[in-house]
Amino acid sequence: MENRWSEQEAAACVRQWGPRWGDPLALRTYASRLLGRDDRLVVHGGGNTSVKATLPDVLGRQREVLFVKGSGYDLATIDPEGHVGLELGFLRELRALPELADAVMVNTLRTHALNADAPAPSIEALLHAFLPPRYIDHSHADAILALTNRTDATDALRDALGDAVIVLPYVHPGFALAKAADAAFTAHPGCRGMVLMHHGLITWGESAEESYRATIDLVTRAEAWLEKQRKRPIIATELIEPSVARERYRAIAPWLRGLLARKADDPDRPYQRVILRVRNDRPILEFLGAPCGREVAVSPPLTTDHLIRTKPLPMWCQDPADLEAGIAAYAQAYGEYWQRHATRAAPGTIPFDPLPRVILIPHVGVVCVGADVHEADIARDITLNTLALKRLVTEGGSYVGLPEDALFDMEYFPLQTAKLGRRKPPPLARTVAVVTGAAGAIGSGVCEVLLENGAHVAATDLPGEPLDSLVRQLQSLYPKRIVGVPMDVTDPDAVHAAFASVSETWGGIDLVVINAGLAHVAPLAKLDLEDFRRVARVNVEGTLNLLTAIGPHMQLQGTGGDVVLISTKNVFAPGAQFGAYSATKAASHQLARVASLELAERGVRVNMISPDAVFSSGERRSGLWAAVGPDRMRARGLDEKGLEEYYRNRNLLKSRVTARHVGQAVLFFATRQTPTTGATIPVDGGLPDATPR
Ligand code: ZN
């Protein structure tokens, strides 16, 4: 493992942060980022670091201060502010106590922070306070865990790391671990680090560089030892191509996602959905297909730090056809596990849902589950890491994890569950939406509103720069929740392929916004049949293709869904010279009404929105108005601004209708505020002639 310390970079950090935060914290921040940058040392917010410094208080008295990572900060991107300053003198006095309840410890840490607005300190803060060295680095490094989680761990650790480290048996994190680590440190002077069995590594130093170097040195030695011990490479007996596994996954993803949705009490929102993330590259398929795959993979996690994301055990399903029974069996086993240990949980603890977070399916891949893509990705990254390490251990020894009671204690450790966050999720957090015609004015406005409300959005349109630039723009704001899927709505195969692609990305689809449309200006007497057919192909056949694909998808997924058709005011009040548009949109509107009749029994609601005169959304001009505007301007003798004014003044509310207004109407249906299907909301400022009837 590479030592990335650079004196130049360190000096730059001291120049940047030193004047405000002091040199020790500036160097602490630099070294923390070095650790965070390597996913063999730290994954997703894991690990924590500290430095001890002396600072004057408001009365000018010099005080010893512990700066320790705040809970929820990621070492890779941490700033000096991400470290909480705590009164070190007081914390050290806590060593005299025989025990300290978790809740009291958390409160004590918070009430002895220097800054009233400080984030909650890491739950391992007392470990940092009790150990004397100035700089402490704590990680859950892969290679160290590969040494501790094996039946021959004692020999392996001695052989790999020598006498330079203290080995501490597993102790539940918190006060007890801090005391045990402090006692071990005192008993073994001169050591460079401490290995915590089934947990991780602690190193220290009088400088940030010394502590960081100790981590790198020890992990490097562990890696070299592990590489040497690989004697029995794991080989799959029957290996399939990743492309075949992908096809298989696409076919079952919506069904699996439906099986993992929990029934809710709300008749308007009867399911609590999940987001799925899959990985099925060659090494994964090889491992899952190996004769020992199941035995090795279905074992406790590497470190208790991971299990709030993954549950104590993954689910194994040999044959995808057995997924439903497999999930039921997993849930039952999880319920029994809870029953076996419930008395150990704090009074009033409610068990987590019994469904798996990680599902291993040979010849398909690893599927991870979360409330949104962020959560599912954390579970997936941890799982991939875990499987690689379990494989490495098994190739030269045999893997062993923690016993069940220790897993339970950590899964229901209140300080750990607090990491999952208590913030109220946005209304569409668990929703996957497909928006057609996304690169247009209304489409992009709808995408924005859905993303702002937490949805995962597949923006679809014809391939090309308008779609690409929209996706780039939205990805800068919502990196994980927007994908661009090129799709021609007039091609049924393209629609099916797009649905499969979105299902592969997030597990399925819950909301389809049918927005792609074309306009053409000509009086009937001059309406060319080919022009009419061109408009009809998009407006009518495009809508039909989507409605045709939605039925089987929703049937397979089994959790209902929503369809919103962006209709038009012209359906109710057509415009002269606008026959092709008005007639074809009327046909699509009627198709949506029929869909509302046919899909209701599957829990799918189909509603329509009829906007009027949406000219643009930010920089995006409406394609429809690009086609229609010049003619309308000529007919009324107006310029562009004048035409917008004209449309504003013709509605009752004198409103300028925007793409975001249309997005808000989609949100109304998508969040299911009322039990409504087959209905139309006008978004037009009030046009009595165009009121739906
Ligand atoms: Zn830890």
Side-chain angles (χ1 to χ4, degrees), residues 47-48 124 138-140 173 177 196 199-200 303 305:
N48 42 68
E124 291 172 307
H138 169 48
S139 63
H140 310 119
L177 175 59
L196 310 177
H199 180 163
T303 161
D305 204 57

Side-chain angles (χ1 to χ4, degrees), residues 144-270:
I144 298 297
L145 294 168
L147 295 178
T148 70
N149 292 30
R150 52 196 304 138
T151 45
D152 57 352
T154 311
D155 294 340
L157 283 162
R158 193 180 322 109
D159 199 21
L161 307 180
D163 297 330
V165 295
I166 305 160
V167 176
L168 197 67
Y170 180 80
V171 179
H172 185 64
F175 183 72
L177 175 59
K179 287 244 316 185
D182 180 40
F185 180 88
T186 311
H188 297 85
C191 280
R192 299 183 69 196
M194 190 181 301
V195 170
L196 310 177
M197 291 298 286
H198 304 288
H199 180 163
L201 176 68
I202 305 171
T203 62
W204 47 76
E206 283 310 301
S207 71
E209 189 273 337
E210 186 190 347
S211 183
Y212 170 73
R213 177 157 39 87
T215 292
I216 299 298
D217 286 352
L218 292 170
V219 172
T220 306
R221 285 166 72 166
E223 283 180 339
W225 187 90
L226 288 163
E227 210 38 60
K228 260 200 332 225
Q229 55 95 52
R230 296 177 80 156
K231 299 186 286 259
R232 305 182 302 269
I234 289 182
I235 296 164
T237 36
E238 36 172 336
L239 185 60
I240 59 154
E241 282 302 309
S243 59
V244 178
R246 279 185 64 188
E247 274 314 309
R248 288 183 181 170
Y249 179 65
R250 283 169 171 234
I252 62 164
W255 177 55
L256 173 57
R257 181 168 181 251
L259 294 175
L260 292 166
R262 296 182 74 205
K263 269 273 193 199
D265 282 340
D266 182 346
D268 285 311
R269 285 164 290 267

Side-chain angles (χ1 to χ4, degrees), residues 111-139:
T111 52
H112 289 80
L114 301 192
N115 184 343
D117 300 329
S122 160
I123 59 170
E124 291 172 307
L126 286 185
L127 181 86
H128 292 266
F130 291 0
L131 290 174
R134 184 178 301 275
Y135 287 87
I136 310 270
D137 292 26
H138 169 48
S139 63

Side-chain angles (χ1 to χ4, degrees), residues 102-103 172 334-335 337-352 404-415 417:
D102 292 337
H172 185 64
Y334 187 84
Y337 154 82
W338 162 262
Q339 286 302 333
R340 280 197 295 280
H341 301 286
T343 51
R344 306 167 67 93
T349 304
I350 298 163
F352 295 122
E404 197 178 89
D405 49 357
L407 297 175
F408 183 89
D409 288 349
M410 200 61 182
E411 187 177 7
Y412 286 94
F413 186 22
L415 308 187
T417 48

